[in-house]
Amino acid sequence: MTSTFTGMNSNQRDFYLEAIDNTLEKGLAAKEVVCSITTGFRDIPSIRTAPGLNPYHASVADIGYGFDAVRGTIMRIHKGESISLAKDMLVFELDTLRISEKQLNPNFELAVKGAKPDTFYLIEQSRYLNRQIAESIKEAIRLGKAFLGPEWKISHARIQNIQAIPRL
């Protein structure tokens, strides 16, 4: 066990880290399908030039990078790597996912505004998958807060000044 998680037994730590990782894995699967659909939107004339398409695509990419970042930090902790700011990194990465998720829906709705009826199935499928992504992020954050307890707020206060600025 690393000194970063003093006062927490390794079973408790591993339980929460595994739960967060498994939750994000489900969101990652939905994100992969959304990414494919989003790329396909560029071939649909009524969506191709929509003002929200590029920001939506960027939001999906941000979420993918965020999933990778959290899962990478979890892997490093599991390997026993001593990371002096591991808790802050975990809070930063999960909260950055929260920001990216907040950008997803408005950008998506802007991208599909005025789409033709023949695309409605893809649009509804994307909405469903976007909700799955959002639910997995919210659950991962809930687990992170349960894992870190009061330390979540302390870490969050430290990282807020360096937090990414949303593109809304």
Side-chain angles (χ1 to χ4, degrees):
M1 175 167 50
T2 67
S3 61
T4 306
F5 295 95
T6 304
M8 181 181 299
N9 74 48
S10 60
N11 289 337
Q12 180 185 15
R13 180 199 65 206
D14 291 345
F15 170 81
Y16 277 106
L17 292 176
E18 285 295 320
I20 292 168
D21 190 51
N22 290 337
T23 298
L24 292 180
E25 189 173 339
K26 292 174 189 170
L28 183 60
K31 178 254 164 211
E32 291 298 325
V33 177
V34 164
C35 190
S36 295
I37 293 172
T38 303
T39 301
F41 281 170
R42 295 187 188 285
D43 291 335
I44 300 170
S46 62
I47 298 175
R48 179 182 309 137
T49 59
L53 185 58
N54 287 337
Y56 174 60
H57 191 76
S59 297
V60 172
D62 286 348
I63 286 172
Y65 298 137
F67 283 162
D68 290 344
V70 175
R71 296 182 84 205
T73 296
I74 289 171
M75 183 181 70
R76 291 172 67 191
I77 294 167
H78 275 309
K79 286 183 176 179
E81 189 174 326
S82 182
I83 309 168
S84 63
L85 298 173
K87 290 176 186 176
D88 288 352
M89 284 174 56
L90 195 59
V91 172
F92 177 81
E93 291 161 355
L94 286 170
D95 199 55
T96 300
L97 272 172
R98 179 190 61 80
I99 291 170
S100 295
E101 184 274 320
K102 287 201 175 297
Q103 297 173 56
L104 197 61
N105 191 48
N107 289 335
F108 175 76
E109 293 304 327
L110 190 58
V112 299
K113 185 177 182 179
K116 303 287 185 231
D118 61 343
T119 62
F120 287 171
Y121 173 75
L122 285 176
I123 291 168
E124 285 309 308
Q125 188 64 32
S126 294
R127 279 191 183 107
Y128 170 76
L129 293 165
N130 288 343
R131 282 192 302 274
Q132 281 190 320
I133 292 167
E135 288 170 15
S136 75
I137 291 169
K138 288 174 185 165
E139 177 64 8
I141 290 170
R142 186 194 68 72
L143 288 164
K145 287 178 177 180
F147 173 47
L148 297 175
E151 291 184 69
W152 175 276
K153 286 185 180 180
I154 295 166
S155 286
H156 192 263
R158 279 196 296 262
I159 61 101
Q160 274 185 311
N161 291 335
I162 59 170
Q163 196 68 37
I165 298 170
R167 287 191 284 265
L168 287 178

